[in-house]
Amino acid sequence: PHYGHLLAGTIKDIVCRFAHQTGHHVERRFGWDCHGLPIEFEIEKELGIKSSQDVKKIGIAKYNEECRKIVMRFANEWDTIITRCGRWIDFENDYKTMNISFMESVWWAFSELWKKDLVYRGFKVMPYSTACTTPLSNFESNMNYKEVSDPSAIVSFPLVEDESISFLAWTTTPWTLPSNVALTVNPEFEYITVEDKKTQKKYIVAKCRIGELFKGSEKLADDQKPYTIHATVKGADLVGKRYVPLFNYFVKESEEFFRVVADGYVTSDAGTGVVHCAPGFGEEDCRVALANGIIAKGQTVCPVEENGLYTAEVTDYAGRYIKDCDNDILAALKERGRLYSKGAIVHSYPFCWRSDTPLIYRAIDAWFIRVEDIRGKLLSANEQTTWVPDFVKTRRFTNWLEDARDWNVSRNRYWGTPLPVWHSEDWEEVVCVGSVKELEELSGITGINDIHREFVDQITIPSKRAGQPPLKRIEQVFDCWFESGSMPYAQAHYPFENKEHFEKNFPADFIAEGLDQTRGWFYTLLVLSAALFDKPPYKNLIVNGLVLAGDGKKMSKRLKNYPEVMDVVNVYGADALRLYLINSPVVRAEPLRFREEGVKDIVKDVFLPFFNACKFFVSNANIYLQEGKQLDLHHQSTNDMDRWIISASRTLVNYVHREMAGYRLYTVVPGLLRFVEDLTNWYVRMNRRRLKGQNGDQDQKDSLCTLFAVMFTVTRIIAPFCPYVAEGFYQRLRPVLPEDIRAEESVHYLMVPEVTEKTEDETRLEETMARMIKIIDLVRVLRDRIGIPMKMPVRSVVVLHPDAAYINDVMATSNYITSEVNTFDLQFSSEESSYVVTKLDANMATIGKKYKKESIEIKKVLANAPAEMISEFLTNGCLTVCGQELSAEDVKVLRTFRPDIQDFESNADGRVVVLVDKRKDESLMDAWRAREFTNRVMQLRKTAGLVVTDKVNIFYATADATLANSLVVRASQINETVRDTWTSKDTMPADAAVVAKTETEIDGAALELYFTKI
């Protein structure tokens, strides 16, 4: 499996896990597509098979047996990788499209379409793969277009009545020229007979295309043009004129060949206005030839074998691949004076989606579903579905359905479900079989337990007409897309088994696959379901984009332009890969350039912070429990920080439920990231002292029980997305969970938390904390800008906002803000004008482009904006000036300090402004040095591998008197964090057992630290 498989599987797994953990029953059967070209292509490479004659030599039974052998070749690898990537799927109770139960349901589906008169046999020009020796459906031919360079040529066709005058026709498929039987003109175009002044040769072309023959002549005066016009006629007047064939291969086939016909499909945007017609290799060619009696129904000229080699009819090129003969054909025509010009054209051309070889169009006898007759049903069924993203449905898929073509469901192959059609030699009797039982009854043969070709091709059905030979089965098998489209009922062996269960649960709640399935599986599912049941086959659908290599190219094993799946999983874990994929544009049907660094970032930004929070909780909870205390999952704390993080966890739960209900997986990870930031960077970090018990027993109980509840909530809500990580957290929490919960062996057997209605107080509390966080972040950015480290205290921080209610709200968090911004003095004010002067200015870079002349007047108005206008802009982020709507990118906010406010720097976001006093003094430096000392002690404890309960004596040594004095002056500050005894190294006993030591520095002063046993 590659990343594309894992992406689709991850999406399905997340949705199914979430459904299960919200109380739904979920069937988790893995399915195997066993038939079709992928398997046959591998076998033909192994056995060196080039054509159907090679298959006949070894026999269909032997061929299919070889196919059967390799079907499950990679099953173990799939099982291992899919399971390792966290997908909860049943490989033992799987279904296979080659099982008779599946194949019989496919027969049933086809027979029902037959009864509805939606099946017919037709002789049509279809997309054809010479490499796979089979026709493809129209939607398959659209799956793999490439830009290619092909030869182009203008060829002459002399009139029989006057060989000095020739039609000129343009082609990009010289290999079709031996099969030419007609020329087509547009009946409404004007055609001119022109004489080349240089060669004195005369040609007939469309007047509007004369520039194709004489480049640049349209710019010349009439007397300077390199040609002379002798006659002008309507295209309709040329109908019936006969011309000299290019080759003599088919001159005796029909008297209708080699004449001019007319049709409106001839366009004026390319070529000469005369189209060469080879009905065996062009859909329009065939239609026009039939309409004008060039060929009869069921007849055509198609001298190309199934593998793309010319037949013996084309004597000069017999046995050669058609595309290889392009240049030789043009050389032969040049030698005979029939090549007017030769060139090359770069254009988009369809390739076989399996063999990656150019397709051709070829006339074949095939079986079709009348899709065009049920377009209305398809569009109606599609309207009943929900797609994510929606634009794929409303634009791409709906447009495709509106122009849906009849579907060729037959393939001239061997390894597949045989079409269940038996017919008499004269086709007067045709029987469509809908079940194994029916075949046994009609044929008289019993005990049929396999219906592949080698078992049913020999079965005949007695004719109902006396004396007539028995009916034989047609040779074709089903297009494997018909099998895929039948999957909803075929996997259940409907209607032969599970009838009530299927009908109760159809259509499916949800499916997911890649964008390429818009014209594949999504389409065939809908066609068959609408035709059989008058309803869509699915209610909700997620479309993912393509996973590309980091350079934007298709992932290629040959180029080795992407890391192996299991290498990434083994380094970063399956959950990191899962979150990386669903947190990318690829879940919105956009392409993803795969970056291994992106998977690493998930570990760094999501898992490690969350893991550290869990580790910190477990460490402190164990100490708490060892003291004989108890943790209560339902404990209600009155602390605002505790109430906030509980409320934030409920917000996360509600958010995930809402987004999953809309199948918006790509929004879940950003929400999870926001919560991880709140939990780890704010709650845990700001409450470490409380969690350690340094603020008293009650405070420790409140904070530990709160963190316990939050960890348990988050562990369950992330379980569908990160099954391994969630399980790891659950097993760490399980020993202290209530007995009824810890009885469940896995978090995946628990339900995710339910949606809860938030109180007005909780909403207000979250808003307060969001404001607090914004203020702290503004100060951090400002300190970084003016070069004052966060560890160094500042004299004063001022928070300004014009709304007094806002100020009163954030004042409740002043203790946290004071600690986080590291200031001695924190002030709040709603009187911004007491500190700064605020003005507006135009951003001429944007306004100048948008409003040009008006921009000068707009700039003047903004420069003189009154307080009310400034307030309006700061509140709303937009403003109407001179009749123009200005956005935040059009307007600059300029703030300057009042003359009496000195030594401050400012930062702002909207209406909130923070001021930081940038002055330094010795008391600030003492506090900063003390904090740095504390950090060095804690770092050494970590390096030494000490845990919270390990006690040591700490000794320090420094020759710097300033640093030594700072430690003495700020001893009480250090003691708030460092719980061990610490003193100068002068007092360290000579026989002290040193367990750890380090040499470091603070503010350029050398410092030695020693830990000794107590």
Side-chain angles (χ1 to χ4, degrees), residues 525-651:
L525 278 172
L526 190 73
V527 168
L528 294 180
S529 181
L532 293 171
F533 304 105
D534 285 329
K535 63 173 71 172
Y538 42 80
K539 299 174 186 175
N540 300 282
L541 186 158
I542 293 179
V543 190
N544 63 262
L546 300 177
V547 183
L548 306 173
D551 56 7
K553 296 179 180 177
K554 189 176 181 180
M555 287 186 170
S556 167
K557 286 189 175 181
R558 179 177 59 83
L559 297 176
K560 295 182 179 179
N561 60 351
Y562 67 95
E564 288 294 334
V565 170
M566 291 310 294
D567 290 346
V568 171
V569 170
N570 289 335
V571 172
Y572 305 107
D575 287 352
L577 178 58
R578 287 166 65 104
L579 282 200
Y580 170 71
L581 291 174
I582 69 163
N583 189 41
S584 71
V586 80
V587 192
R588 299 191 298 272
E590 299 172 18
L592 165 66
R593 293 189 176 192
F594 186 87
R595 293 174 51 255
E596 189 173 342
E597 294 82 3
V599 184
K600 183 179 180 181
D601 288 344
I602 291 291
V603 176
K604 175 173 64 73
D605 297 336
V606 181
F607 294 154
L608 284 181
F610 199 42
F611 174 79
N612 289 333
C614 185
K615 182 180 178 183
F616 181 75
F617 165 75
V618 171
S619 174
N620 287 282
N622 284 337
I623 297 171
Y624 186 79
L625 293 169
Q626 286 169 10
E627 295 172 352
K629 301 169 185 175
Q630 296 295 317
L631 289 174
D632 182 0
L633 196 60
H634 305 292
H635 177 74
Q636 298 288 324
S637 172
T638 58
N639 179 279
D640 279 350
M641 283 293 280
D642 296 341
R643 290 170 55 239
W644 164 66
I645 200 63
I646 289 288
S647 180
S649 69
R650 289 174 182 163
T651 297

Side-chain angles (χ1 to χ4, degrees), residues 92-112:
E92 293 183 8
N93 185 35
D94 58 7
Y95 70 85
K96 300 179 180 69
T97 60
M98 68 180 185
N99 290 349
I100 189 171
S101 59
F102 193 101
M103 296 170 70
E104 186 176 28
S105 290
V106 171
W107 274 16
W108 167 83
F110 185 76
S111 69
E112 289 298 302

Side-chain angles (χ1 to χ4, degrees), residues 793-973:
V794 293
R795 280 176 175 270
S796 179
V797 170
V798 182
V799 178
L800 305 176
H801 195 284
D803 185 356
Y806 180 103
I807 292 297
N808 291 332
D809 190 31
V810 294
M811 282 179 68
T813 65
S814 59
N815 287 342
Y816 291 111
I817 296 175
T818 300
S819 173
E820 287 298 308
V821 303
N822 196 11
T823 182
F824 286 115
D825 179 48
L826 177 64
Q827 299 178 35
F828 297 91
S829 176
S830 58
E831 300 296 328
E832 181 180 321
S833 59
S834 300
Y835 292 86
V836 295
V837 176
T838 304
K839 292 185 177 182
L840 301 181
D841 189 21
N843 181 0
M844 296 304 292
T846 61
I847 287 180
K849 292 179 182 177
K850 290 180 181 178
Y851 308 117
K852 297 183 172 57
K853 293 180 180 178
E854 293 177 280
S855 61
I856 302 300
E857 184 61 28
I858 292 173
K859 182 176 178 65
K860 288 181 181 177
V861 173
L862 290 175
N864 297 289
E868 295 79 11
M869 183 181 287
I870 296 172
S871 177
E872 180 186 346
F873 177 75
L874 293 175
T875 302
N876 302 323
C878 59
L879 194 64
T880 301
V881 177
C882 300
Q884 303 296 342
E885 186 73 20
L886 305 184
S887 66
E889 69 171 5
D890 301 322
V891 181
K892 297 178 182 178
V893 179
L894 306 178
R895 288 186 172 92
T896 56
F897 290 105
R898 293 179 61 83
D900 55 327
I901 302 297
Q902 299 178 359
D903 301 317
F904 279 87
E905 291 287 346
S906 69
N907 193 13
D909 184 357
R911 307 213 67 178
V912 61
V913 182
V914 297
L915 310 179
V916 171
D917 189 332
K918 59 185 179 181
R919 291 174 293 173
K920 299 178 183 179
D921 61 25
E922 198 55 40
S923 64
L924 294 176
M925 295 302 295
D926 286 341
W928 175 69
R929 293 184 191 108
R931 180 172 290 182
E932 289 299 295
F933 176 82
T934 300
N935 288 338
R936 301 301 192 277
V937 170
M938 302 313 289
Q939 287 171 10
L940 185 56
R941 283 188 65 90
K942 187 174 181 180
T943 302
L946 302 180
V947 297
V948 177
T949 53
D950 291 335
K951 302 294 183 181
V952 293
N953 287 322
I954 303 172
F955 299 94
Y956 70 89
T958 180
D960 188 271
T962 302
L963 174 57
N965 182 65
S966 294
L967 299 184
V968 173
V969 170
R970 303 297 300 185
S972 60
Q973 174 188 334

Side-chain angles (χ1 to χ4, degrees), residues 633-834:
L633 196 60
H634 305 292
H635 177 74
Q636 298 288 324
S637 172
T638 58
N639 179 279
D640 279 350
M641 283 293 280
D642 296 341
R643 290 170 55 239
W644 164 66
I645 200 63
I646 289 288
S647 180
S649 69
R650 289 174 182 163
T651 297
L652 174 67
V653 169
N654 294 353
Y655 175 80
V656 172
H657 273 280
R658 183 175 66 251
E659 298 308 297
M660 289 300 293
Y663 294 90
R664 294 181 292 271
L665 275 64
Y666 53 86
T667 63
V668 171
V669 176
L672 183 61
L673 280 170
R674 288 192 295 271
F675 181 78
V676 168
E677 171 79 3
D678 286 346
L679 178 66
T680 61
N681 197 42
W682 296 105
Y683 180 79
V684 173
R685 188 176 54 78
M686 294 171 70
N687 291 276
R688 292 180 75 88
R689 293 177 56 81
R690 296 177 62 223
L691 289 160
K692 290 180 176 181
Q694 293 175 0
N695 287 8
D697 289 346
Q698 185 59 46
D699 227 14
Q700 185 179 29
K701 179 179 181 179
D702 288 343
S703 57
L704 278 176
C705 289
T706 296
L707 186 54
F708 181 33
V710 169
M711 293 296 296
F712 184 52
T713 294
V714 177
T715 296
R716 287 175 292 158
I717 202 67
I718 69 170
F721 307 92
C722 326
Y724 289 107
V725 169
E727 186 66 20
F729 289 152
Y730 176 70
Q731 295 304 333
R732 283 172 171 259
L733 298 175
R734 191 180 173 198
V736 292
L737 285 168
E739 189 174 344
D740 60 326
I741 297 176
R742 69 170 177 265
E744 293 291 359
E745 294 182 6
S746 169
V747 69
H748 303 294
Y749 299 152
L750 298 174
M751 296 298 101
V752 298
E754 296 180 353
V755 173
T756 54
E757 289 294 327
K758 290 171 57 179
T759 65
E760 203 173 297
D761 183 53
E762 288 176 324
T763 302
R764 182 198 59 77
L765 185 59
E766 287 193 51
E767 184 179 43
T768 299
M769 296 306 296
R771 289 170 172 175
M772 179 198 77
I773 290 170
K774 177 183 282 190
I775 290 168
I776 294 170
D777 282 339
L778 285 172
V779 174
R780 285 177 176 173
V781 171
L782 180 55
R783 289 177 66 118
D784 184 62
R785 196 168 72 206
I786 60 181
I788 302 177
M790 284 302 299
K791 295 175 182 178
M792 184 178 292
V794 293
R795 280 176 175 270
S796 179
V797 170
V798 182
V799 178
L800 305 176
H801 195 284
D803 185 356
Y806 180 103
I807 292 297
N808 291 332
D809 190 31
V810 294
M811 282 179 68
T813 65
S814 59
N815 287 342
Y816 291 111
I817 296 175
T818 300
S819 173
E820 287 298 308
V821 303
N822 196 11
T823 182
F824 286 115
D825 179 48
L826 177 64
Q827 299 178 35
F828 297 91
S829 176
S830 58
E831 300 296 328
E832 181 180 321
S833 59
S834 300

Side-chain angles (χ1 to χ4, degrees), residues 58 69 120 163 196 200 365 453 457 506 542 618 682 697 709 860 903 944 958 977-978:
I58 67 170
K69 286 179 183 177
Y120 69 93
E163 293 193 19
D196 187 329
Q200 282 80 53
D365 184 9
R453 282 195 63 178
D457 280 4
F506 185 78
I542 293 179
V618 171
W682 296 105
D697 289 346
K860 288 181 181 177
D903 301 317
T958 180
T977 303
V978 178

